[in-house]
Amino acid sequence: MKNYSLTETEITKIVELARVESTPFYFYNERKILENCNKCINMPNAFGVFPRYAMKANSSRQIIKVITGSGMGIDASSLNEVLRANMAGIKPDKILLTSQEVYTKDKLEKLKNLLLEGLEYNICSYSQLESIAEFACQNSISLGIRIHPGIGSGESASRNTGDKYSCFGVHLSDIENVISLLNQRNIVIKRVHTHIGSGGDPLTWRKNIDLEISLLLKYFNKATVINFGGGFKVARMPDEESADIEDLGSYAKRALEEVYRETGRKLIMEVEPGTFIMANSGYLVTEVLDIKSTGVEGYKFVVLDGGMESISRQMLYTSRHPFYVVSRNGAILSDEFDTSDNDKEDIVVVGRCCESGDSLTIKADHNITTRKLRLPSRGDFLVVGGAGAYCSSMCLANYNSHERPAEYLLQLDENVRLIRKRETLEQIVENEL
Ligand SMILES: *Cc1c(COP(=O)(O)O)cnc(C)c1O
């Protein structure tokens, strides 16, 4: 099946922009973002669902505004993310902070002020609780707790946040200590939270729902909210499969209805999608700078003006992103969703950094490989799909002194809006003395 992720409107707008503005740039589609938000807001649920956008996936101000405008809250992974969301106009009471950080000095003061303004805070370790316990007690602030469930799932080992190789959340071996401090200080836990990893197996996700409910019932008799984290897998490539969030929602709904039948407790469900909202809502648009080869025994290379400094997931996780080769007049010359095209060749796609690993075609053993594409010409555009999440926000920016790319948003009214200016060389060096 031909499944165009790149729409006609997107191609037209991307080419219009790329012909006049500097590449590379990120290009996001508001319509797709909102469709994904609505799927989360309308997820099957028993006693209410509140989806929070994991803003680390893409932290641009206008992106946060579009998503929270749909009714979603925010999941923040650092105090700075909370402050950044707040600068974008999001009130602290819409934000949940779940972090590895333990705050001291001025950061602790900031946290306290935000808590008074309604920020929701998940305790992820004994030290975190220690640092805030007295304050929470004095101000009758109830907290959440992130539990390390002992099971995890991720698209790769480094994205599994629930197994023994990752230390996110209060581990079950530490939970009695944490509970005894909570009791000493009379602190109520209102929310139980887990996040088992990104892009993982839906079966593990289901198992985690059951496990998390049993932990909530065992330890936290005042909790009213159960947060299942994010990690809904999104298919970027034609051979990948997305998680079925309807199905996960239905599973959670049945489980929470059973809790009600057995205990009379109506638990509100939260989820924290990042990838799901943004991954396929964005592209990285690059231009083909050069075509090279390493001889008859070697490979054909396409050199782009954007690589590891703008998109790093392939280097970190050996992730694959789909490529669309688009001519300067807007014709799609190569499309990985079109399997009928027999004129494709084996091509290595690389960035422009002085780093032999700066390739967008990396296989699971971290070596460079080829992909089937039609050979583009210099000046054609290569549009990288699935680049809305963890690309702009997680790239190896400024390597080889390249500026961070601009970001554009294709709005619902079909106007394209610049939402982040391209960084300048002056900005790269401005703090150097
Ligand atoms: C990263 C993260 C998420 C989002 O994960 P996705 O795979 O992008 O959906 C949700 N919750 C927490 C606590 C996270 O750290």
Side-chain angles (χ1 to χ4, degrees):
M1 190 188 74
K2 189 155 170 165
N3 170 6
Y4 263 109
S5 126
L6 190 59
T7 65
E8 289 294 327
T9 318
E10 286 170 342
I11 302 167
T12 312
K13 299 290 180 179
I14 283 173
V15 169
E16 271 174 26
L17 264 180
R19 284 208 299 236
V20 291
E21 302 293 343
S22 302
T23 49
F25 57 79
Y26 302 100
F27 184 91
Y28 308 119
N29 186 336
E30 183 174 14
R31 184 177 304 277
K32 288 182 175 173
I33 297 171
L34 288 173
E35 277 169 13
N36 295 336
C37 292
N38 285 332
K39 282 184 197 157
C40 295
I41 287 166
N42 297 317
M43 212 172 153
N45 66 85
F47 307 106
V49 60
F50 186 50
R52 298 178 176 275
Y53 168 57
M55 66 175 278
K56 69 179 189 287
N58 188 315
S59 323
S60 266
R61 175 173 300 191
Q62 294 306 330
I63 298 296
I64 294 174
K65 282 185 176 238
V66 165
I67 295 170
T68 52
S70 79
M72 285 179 62
I74 289 286
D75 157 49
S77 295
S78 67
L79 191 68
N80 270 2
E81 280 195 352
V82 175
L83 296 168
R84 191 169 176 183
N86 201 214
M87 288 159 85
I90 317 305
K91 298 268 178 294
D93 64 358
K94 291 281 183 289
I95 307 173
L96 169 63
L97 171 61
T98 309
S99 174
Q100 290 277 70
E101 300 174 317
V102 181
Y103 303 106
T104 56
K105 298 181 240 163
D106 59 319
K107 284 221 164 181
L108 185 59
E109 291 313 305
K110 279 184 187 158
L111 174 67
K112 289 177 180 173
N113 288 334
L114 286 161
L115 287 171
L116 292 176
E117 290 175 53
L119 172 71
E120 306 273 339
Y121 185 39
N122 269 340
I123 292 299
C124 299
S125 76
Y126 188 85
S127 316
Q128 282 185 358
L129 177 59
E130 244 183 345
S131 70
I132 204 73
E134 195 183 326
F135 178 82
C137 171
Q138 281 167 1
N139 294 281
S140 308
I141 290 171
S142 53
L143 299 171
I145 183 168
R146 176 174 183 171
I147 300 179
H148 184 306
I151 59 171
S153 184
E155 211 174 333
S156 65
S158 54
R159 275 172 298 169
N160 181 330
T161 59
D163 71 4
K164 67 176 178 181
Y165 297 103
S166 85
C167 65
F168 296 99
V170 175
H171 193 260
L172 291 178
S173 59
D174 219 14
I175 204 158
E176 305 284 349
N177 283 336
V178 167
I179 288 173
S180 97
L181 180 51
L182 287 167
N183 290 342
Q184 268 172 42
R185 297 290 187 175
N186 268 318
I187 299 172
V188 171
I189 288 293
K190 65 166 150 186
R191 168 187 295 95
V192 173
H193 172 278
T194 57
H195 169 69
I196 58 172
S198 282
D201 169 15
L203 277 180
T204 315
W205 224 87
R206 287 177 169 221
K207 228 166 81 185
N208 179 60
I209 289 174
D210 297 336
L211 180 60
E212 190 177 346
I213 289 175
S214 72
L215 294 170
L216 180 146
L217 295 177
K218 180 169 175 197
Y219 293 112
F220 301 103
N221 57 20
K222 293 197 174 131
T224 53
V225 180
I226 187 152
N227 183 317
F228 295 120
F232 305 131
K233 183 173 164 52
V234 165
R236 294 180 177 82
M237 295 296 289
D239 62 343
E240 292 174 349
E241 213 176 314
S242 296
D244 182 346
I245 88 156
E246 279 278 310
D247 184 64
L248 290 173
S250 303
Y251 187 84
K253 176 175 191 267
R254 283 195 299 276
L256 295 178
E257 283 165 351
E258 199 177 312
V259 170
Y260 175 64
R261 276 196 301 276
E262 285 173 9
T263 67
R265 293 171 73 176
K266 291 185 176 175
L267 298 176
I268 296 164
M269 170 167 95
E270 290 184 342
V271 288
E272 296 171 338
T275 304
F276 183 82
I277 303 292
M278 286 306 298
N280 286 335
S281 306
Y283 304 91
L284 176 70
V285 179
T286 70
E287 188 175 316
V288 175
L289 293 180
D290 212 345
I291 314 283
K292 299 168 92 170
S293 110
T294 44
V296 281
E297 303 280 292
Y299 293 102
K300 276 190 184 155
F301 291 76
V302 167
V303 184
L304 307 178
D305 61 2
M308 63 189 282
E309 81 292 350
S310 314
I311 179 168
S312 318
R313 298 186 68 259
Q314 72 285 0
M315 295 181 85
L316 292 168
Y317 314 128
T318 69
S319 304
R320 292 172 303 147
H321 288 254
F323 302 134
Y324 306 86
V325 180
V326 182
S327 74
R328 294 190 77 82
N329 57 20
I332 294 204
L333 304 176
S334 184
D335 167 8
E336 290 188 281
F337 290 87
D338 180 2
T339 46
S340 68
D341 182 353
N342 295 322
D343 291 329
K344 292 179 177 170
E345 301 178 50
D346 294 316
I347 290 169
V348 178
V349 179
V350 297
R352 61 191 155 154
C353 288
C354 270
E355 156 63 39
S356 58
D358 182 15
S359 169
L360 279 90
T361 45
I362 294 181
K363 56 183 161 102
D365 63 5
H366 286 271
N367 280 313
I368 287 173
T369 183
T370 57
R371 286 260 281 275
K372 291 262 181 227
L373 300 178
R374 281 212 203 185
L375 191 67
S377 312
R378 287 186 55 212
D380 284 341
F381 303 118
L382 194 141
V383 179
V384 182
Y390 303 104
C391 290
S392 167
S393 64
M394 207 172 65
C395 63
L396 300 163
N398 296 156
Y399 187 50
N400 282 204
S401 297
H402 294 305
E403 310 93 335
R404 270 176 180 275
E407 295 181 307
Y408 293 91
L409 180 66
L410 172 60
Q411 300 183 142
L412 286 182
D413 63 10
E414 302 214 336
N415 285 319
V416 176
R417 176 171 173 196
L418 175 65
I419 58 167
R420 180 186 183 128
K421 292 193 273 187
R422 194 157 82 109
E423 195 177 23
T424 62
L425 184 56
E426 289 68 31
Q427 287 174 321
I428 295 178
V429 299
E430 75 184 350
N431 289 337
E432 294 175 4
L433 301 175

